[in-house]
Amino acid sequence: NAGVTQTPKFQVLKTGQSMTLQCAQDMNHNSMYWYRQDPGMGLRLIYYSASEGTTDKGEVPNGYNVSRLNKREFSLRLESAAPSQTSVYFCASRHTSGTGLGNTIYFGEGSWLTVV
Amino acid sequence: GENVEQHPSTLSVQEGDSAVIKCTYSDSASNYFPWYKQELGKRPQLIIDIRSNVGEKKDQRIAVTLNKTAKHFSLHITETQPEDSAVYFCAANLQGGSEKLVFGKGTKLTVNP
């Protein structure tokens, strides 16, 4: 049981290049998330997916696209990387119950992305 | 707009003292309020959470209180230890209790021996 696994862990990109961050969870969770973390800005939600086949914008979606490939996988794509996208990216997941009350969100180990 | 405000941004206490971190949220329909601890270079880890149907929850030295009327919740750490030093984040689910989970900007807690 690996939890939330994201790849790559480190990546350096040139401005204008594209790349995809991969995320997979083995906990059978319904919801999955992508956050970015910058110094002094906390964790900002980029996109989330409440269930397989659905995705919604978070606080800072511009410059990103996502795909909920199946229940396990949720990828984040940068089509044309910019220096402002230099950040640490965290994928996360959690189970949602029928009560409507929230449950624990589990994070991956993070992906350090530098755009030069 | 929809957000979660967290204060203070930094907090320094002496070992053994108590630490309190406060958060406010904007959506009165929010119903889930977790707190996360993040050590340098590591992923955030849940330390305690509270749901809207209770007002207080304790787990050993940590406790969380929720005031739904005022739309704020607080983390209380008693008898602080140097290993409590970390960045702490609060969060709330916005948009009517949906899956949109938004975090505060964090509080860097330093416990001085």
Side-chain angles (χ1 to χ4, degrees):
Chain A
N1 188 338
V4 180
T5 304
Q6 54 183 109
T7 57
K9 194 170 179 69
F10 300 98
Q11 183 72 49
V12 179
L13 284 177
K14 293 184 178 179
T15 298
Q17 285 186 320
S18 62
M19 78 158 296
T20 300
L21 297 173
Q22 307 285 356
C23 177
Q25 51 90 10
D26 61 1
M27 296 176 282
N28 201 34
H29 287 169
N30 308 63
S31 298
M32 296 187 73
Y33 304 79
W34 277 105
Y35 290 89
R36 61 177 287 174
Q37 185 171 33
D38 304 290
M41 298 298 292
L43 292 153
R44 292 185 292 171
L45 181 63
I46 305 172
Y47 272 94
Y48 66 104
S49 170
S51 63
E52 184 179 351
T54 68
T55 61
D56 286 284
K57 293 179 180 180
E59 303 167 276
V60 289
N62 292 345
Y64 304 95
N65 286 302
V66 290
S67 296
R68 184 73 183 268
L69 305 171
N70 47 56
K71 193 172 185 180
R72 290 188 62 249
E73 300 172 288
F74 188 41
S75 62
L76 178 72
R77 184 162 178 82
L78 286 69
E79 290 291 351
S80 179
S84 61
Q85 293 179 304
T86 293
S87 189
V88 181
Y89 292 85
F90 285 98
C91 178
S93 72
R94 70 169 173 156
H95 175 68
T96 53
S97 66
T99 63
L101 296 175
N103 294 287
T104 305
I105 187 169
Y106 295 90
F107 286 89
E109 292 186 316
S111 296
W112 274 254
L113 177 65
T114 301
V115 183
V116 298
Chain B
E2 301 171 325
N3 59 18
V4 176
E5 299 285 343
Q6 182 172 347
H7 299 280
S9 56
T10 60
L11 179 60
S12 182
V13 300
Q14 289 299 122
E15 183 176 0
D17 288 350
S18 295
V20 181
I21 303 170
K22 299 181 179 180
C23 287
T24 60
Y25 58 97
S26 57
D27 186 351
S28 58
S30 296
N31 60 12
Y32 179 61
F33 310 92
W35 286 89
Y36 282 79
K37 177 182 180 182
Q38 186 180 31
E39 297 176 343
L40 191 62
K42 299 195 174 178
R43 74 185 92 185
Q45 301 265 24
L46 179 78
I47 54 171
I48 195 167
D49 58 9
I50 191 167
R51 294 170 174 80
S52 58
N53 55 352
V54 298
E56 184 175 2
K57 184 176 179 181
K58 290 183 179 180
D59 183 2
Q60 299 183 335
R61 295 187 297 107
I62 61 173
V64 57
T65 58
L66 171 65
N67 183 327
K68 288 190 292 183
T69 302
K71 291 190 286 186
H72 68 70
F73 56 111
S74 299
L75 176 71
H76 304 255
I77 305 174
T78 59
E79 301 173 20
T80 54
Q81 302 167 2
E83 50 265 39
D84 293 330
S85 296
V87 179
Y88 292 82
F89 294 97
C90 64
N93 60 339
L94 302 182
Q95 289 187 346
S98 75
E99 291 308 303
K100 186 177 183 180
L101 195 67
V102 175
F103 284 76
K105 292 186 178 181
T107 298
K108 183 177 181 181
L109 174 64
T110 302
V111 180
N112 302 301

